């Protein structure tokens, strides 16, 4: 029922960028998580990364595989740099592989209850839940999944489901119709352009937390999952080689603009230096002319002083001649 307790603790998805898209902290512990998408979009890879992250935290993880054997799952995940074997040996990870058609829905539910109770995991992965549709009707499968979710939530166990959507169907839809029971829902999709199929990831909802509303490019590499921002161009969202070509074009345009700015700065600097050189030459010319004028002024002032001095001596001489000091005139 709806009497389970909730936690505010957050746990990592195993992919740093997905954690960032989920408010930077990942999923709520004890919540239900669904990753849906068409075949080959990477749902099992995301599930394996969550399982590895749980084991690296020292938590037990129970993985119900309804498409691959334990050995096949381990081998395939090594191709993206995820080695589950050490966690299987340590006992933190347990893979329960079975064909959905081997039993009815009630038997599957009882088996899951039994294995979960015995192993007591903190995280449970069911990959994929859509394989159970072949066992019962849609309504029966939905009822079984509702009871399973209630059971896991009552235990405070984080449950992670993958769901296969058929090609051409609405991406934001699930074959078993449990989307309303899910707390966090991630959709993996494929963008076809330029003869390529490129994966994208978006978050439909994540209850109780702020989350990204952007579609991001999702790539599987030999070093793990790489999630990056898609390029939104005039023709729409670009991924893969189209994105790389556009980014290269943008880098070339940015480089050309930067070089143009550098050329203009260099031209301005040359003009500034040339102007400063001309100013310096004019200043030198002015200083030379000013010095020459200063010498000419000093020489003129010197000649004026000499003339004044000579005139003074002449006046003194004339006064002396007009008024002789020897008194000869008085005697006559």
């Amino acid at each position: 029922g709806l009497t389970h307790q909730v936690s505010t603790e957050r746990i990592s998805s195993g992919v740093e960028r997905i954690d960032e898209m989920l408010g930077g902290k990942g999923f709520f512990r004890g919540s239900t998580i669904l990753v849906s998408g068409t075949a080959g979009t990477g749902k099992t890879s995301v599930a394996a990364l969550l399982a590895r992250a749980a084991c690296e935290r020292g938590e037990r993880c129970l993985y119900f595989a309804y498409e691959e054997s334990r050995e096949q799952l381990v081998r395939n995940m090594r191709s993206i740099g995820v080695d589950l074997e050490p966690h299987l040996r340590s006992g933190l990870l347990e893979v329960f592989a079975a064909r959905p058609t081997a039993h009815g829905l009630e038997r599957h539910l009882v088996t899951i209850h039994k294995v979960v109770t015995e192993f007591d995991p903190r995280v449970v992965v069911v990959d994929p839940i859509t394989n159970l549709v072949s066992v019962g009707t849609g309504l029966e499968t939905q009822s079984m999944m509702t009871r399973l979710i209630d059971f896991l939530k009552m235990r405070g166990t984080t449950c992670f489901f993958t769901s296969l959507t058929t090609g051409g169907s609405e991406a934001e839809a699930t074959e078993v119709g449990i989307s309303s029971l899910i707390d966090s829902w991630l959709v993996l999709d494929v963008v076809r352009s330029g003869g390529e199929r490129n994966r994208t990831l978006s978050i439909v909802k994540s209850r109780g937390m702020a989350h990204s509303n952007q579609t991001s490019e999702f790539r599987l590499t030999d070093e793990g999952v790489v999630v990056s921002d898609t390029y939104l161009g005039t023709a729409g969202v670009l991924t893969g080689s189209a994105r790389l070509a556009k980014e290269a074009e943008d880098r070339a345009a940015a480089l050309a603009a930067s070089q143009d700015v550098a050329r203009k700065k260099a031209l301005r600097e040359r003009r500034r230096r040339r102007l400063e050189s001309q100013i310096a030459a004019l200043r030198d010319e002015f200083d030379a002319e000013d010095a020459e004028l200063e010498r000419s002024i000093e020489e003129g002032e010197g000649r004026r002083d000499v003339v004044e001095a000579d005139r003074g001596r002449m006046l003194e001489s004339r006064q002396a001649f007009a008024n002789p000091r020897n008194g000869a005139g008085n005697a006559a």
Side-chain angles (χ1 to χ4, degrees):
L2 298 176
T3 58
H4 55 269
Q5 300 297 313
V6 297
S7 173
T8 57
E9 182 185 355
R10 305 283 278 272
I11 62 172
S12 174
S13 65
V15 181
E16 183 178 356
R17 186 57 191 275
I18 294 179
D19 292 344
E20 291 176 1
M21 295 175 70
L22 294 164
K25 299 178 182 178
F27 303 109
F28 280 122
R29 181 178 294 282
S31 63
T32 52
I33 305 152
L34 174 67
V35 173
S36 63
T38 55
T41 49
K43 300 181 296 299
T44 298
S45 299
V46 177
L49 286 162
L50 178 78
R52 184 182 69 174
C55 294
E56 289 177 346
R57 292 192 301 269
E59 301 172 4
R60 291 185 176 184
C61 177
L62 182 58
Y63 196 114
F64 290 94
Y66 291 132
E67 284 185 335
E68 301 174 279
S69 67
R70 165 176 163 163
E71 290 72 20
Q72 185 178 0
L73 177 66
V74 171
R75 182 202 66 187
N76 292 347
M77 289 306 100
R78 285 194 180 118
S79 67
I80 62 169
V82 178
D83 190 2
L84 300 177
E85 186 63 39
H87 305 303
L88 288 167
R89 289 198 303 266
S90 70
L92 288 174
L93 176 64
E94 181 65 37
V95 176
F96 185 90
R99 288 289 185 190
T101 53
H103 308 288
L105 287 177
E106 290 296 327
R107 179 65 179 273
H108 278 297
L109 183 60
V110 169
T111 300
I112 292 174
H113 276 226
K114 181 176 183 295
V115 176
V116 169
T117 302
E118 291 176 352
F119 190 65
D120 192 26
R122 299 299 304 275
V123 176
V124 168
V125 176
V126 181
D127 178 33
I129 56 174
T130 39
N131 279 27
L132 298 172
V133 175
S134 60
V135 181
T137 65
L139 183 60
E140 290 171 341
T141 306
Q142 185 177 5
S143 175
M144 177 264 194
M145 293 304 303
T146 301
R147 285 183 287 163
L148 174 59
I149 289 172
D150 285 343
F151 167 67
L152 294 173
K153 281 202 167 189
M154 290 294 290
R155 295 177 59 88
T157 304
T158 304
C159 39
F160 185 98
F161 304 109
T162 68
S163 174
L164 175 67
T165 55
T166 56
S169 64
E170 176 63 34
E172 295 180 12
T174 57
E175 296 290 344
V176 294
I178 62 165
S179 58
S180 62
L181 303 175
I182 297 299
D183 297 316
S184 297
W185 185 7
L186 282 64
V187 171
L188 303 181
D189 203 358
V190 171
V191 176
R192 298 171 180 82
S193 64
E196 294 181 342
R197 292 167 52 91
N198 296 296
R199 301 177 179 91
T200 62
L201 179 149
S202 59
I203 301 174
V204 177
K205 67 175 182 179
S206 193
R207 291 169 175 163
M209 68 179 72
H211 61 83
S212 172
N213 64 347
Q214 300 296 307
T215 297
S216 299
E217 188 170 1
F218 177 84
R219 293 185 291 118
L220 299 177
T221 72
D222 54 3
E223 296 181 356
V225 168
V226 177
V227 181
S228 56
D229 293 334
T230 52
Y231 188 99
L232 184 61
T234 55
V237 174
L238 301 179
T239 58
S241 60
R243 169 186 174 166
L244 294 176
K246 182 60 178 175
E247 288 179 340
E249 180 183 336
D250 289 347
R251 285 194 296 270
L255 178 60
S258 177
Q259 290 174 342
D260 184 57
V261 170
R263 284 193 297 270
K264 289 179 179 178
K265 287 183 176 180
L267 176 60
R268 184 179 66 179
E269 181 64 18
R270 288 195 299 272
R271 288 180 175 178
R272 185 186 63 80
R273 289 198 298 267
R274 185 165 60 246
L275 178 60
E276 289 179 348
S277 176
Q278 292 173 350
I279 292 173
L282 289 172
R283 183 177 290 111
D284 290 342
E285 183 180 351
F286 172 81
D287 290 343
E289 292 179 355
D290 186 65
E292 183 65 28
L293 288 173
E294 181 67 22
R295 285 193 299 272
S296 180
I297 291 170
E298 289 177 354
E299 289 174 358
E301 290 177 344
R303 287 195 296 271
R304 183 192 61 190
D305 293 343
V306 170
V307 170
E308 291 295 332
D310 289 345
R311 181 179 298 173
R313 285 194 294 272
M314 291 174 65
L315 288 174
E316 289 178 0
S317 174
R318 288 179 179 181
Q319 290 174 358
F321 180 79
N323 301 297
R325 297 179 179 179
N326 53 13
N330 294 329

